[in-house]
């Protein structure tokens, strides 16, 4: 239920008209619902906002969904977020989402040495 609420809020926030786009119109809308938990919808607006989502019944009683939404950023570029929402939670993917910096080589080597020592039973007293 929480996943569905989050997704609905994201969709509403994405679709909410901004001041310059107050006259945006829906230019495409497709819907399909088989009443057994399977559904599909897609829409596009005249100002570049779009979303498509497919849903299926989940193994834990939830609705599994996958889809994407797009919107125009202030600089005119198009932002896209692809996502899966299922029993493992909401899993978005986008260039907009910050990614952790990769570990430097010396840190990776320290981790490797520590794991090797752990396997050998070496411990360090504090």
């Amino acid at each position: 239920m929480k996943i569905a609420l989050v997704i609905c809020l994201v969709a509403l926030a994405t679709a909410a008209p901004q001041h310059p786009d107050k006259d945006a119109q829906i230019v495409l809308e497709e819907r399909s619902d088989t009443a057994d938990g399977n559904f599909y919808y897609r829409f596009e607006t005249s100002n570049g906002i779009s979303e498509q989502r497919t849903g299926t019944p989940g193994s834990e009683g939830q609705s599994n969904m996958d889809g994407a939404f797009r919107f125009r950023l202030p600089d005119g570029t198009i932002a896209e977020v692809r996502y899966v929402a299922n029993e493992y939670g909401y899993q978005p993917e986008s260039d907009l989402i910050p990614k952790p910096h990769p570990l430097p080589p010396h840190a990776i080597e320290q981790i490797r040495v520590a794991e090797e020592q752990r396997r050998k039973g070496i411990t360090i007293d504090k």
Side-chain angles (χ1 to χ4, degrees), residues 111-123:
I111 292 168
R112 186 195 65 73
V113 168
E115 288 172 348
E116 183 179 319
Q117 290 174 338
R118 197 173 302 118
R119 277 192 303 273
K120 292 180 178 178
I122 298 172
T123 59

Side-chain angles (χ1 to χ4, degrees), residues 55-126:
T56 57
S59 62
E60 303 292 324
Q62 80 285 351
S63 289
N64 288 344
M65 295 178 231
D66 64 87
F69 55 91
R70 294 185 185 122
F71 54 94
R72 191 174 309 280
L73 294 171
D75 67 1
T77 59
I78 301 294
E80 179 176 31
V81 177
R82 295 191 159 290
Y83 62 88
V84 171
N86 56 26
E87 61 271 12
Y88 302 111
Y90 180 68
Q91 304 154 52
E93 292 181 9
S94 174
D95 291 338
L96 299 171
I97 300 172
K99 302 195 178 25
H101 293 287
L103 290 174
H106 72 277
I108 293 171
E109 176 62 14
Q110 287 175 332
I111 292 168
R112 186 195 65 73
V113 168
E115 288 172 348
E116 183 179 319
Q117 290 174 338
R118 197 173 302 118
R119 277 192 303 273
K120 292 180 178 178
I122 298 172
T123 59
I124 299 173
D125 294 331
K126 294 181 182 181

Side-chain angles (χ1 to χ4, degrees), residues 11-77:
L12 285 173
T14 303
Q18 302 298 316
H19 179 67
D21 298 326
K22 67 181 180 179
D23 297 322
Q25 301 291 316
I26 294 175
V27 296
L28 172 75
E29 183 176 15
E30 298 174 353
R31 294 176 182 267
S32 172
D33 187 344
T34 59
D36 62 357
N38 293 291
F39 68 88
Y40 170 81
Y41 81 84
R42 182 176 120 182
F43 76 86
E44 294 179 15
T45 63
S46 59
N47 62 348
I49 295 171
S50 66
E51 181 176 4
Q52 66 89 31
R53 181 181 308 176
T54 302
T56 57
S59 62
E60 303 292 324
Q62 80 285 351
S63 289
N64 288 344
M65 295 178 231
D66 64 87
F69 55 91
R70 294 185 185 122
F71 54 94
R72 191 174 309 280
L73 294 171
D75 67 1
T77 59

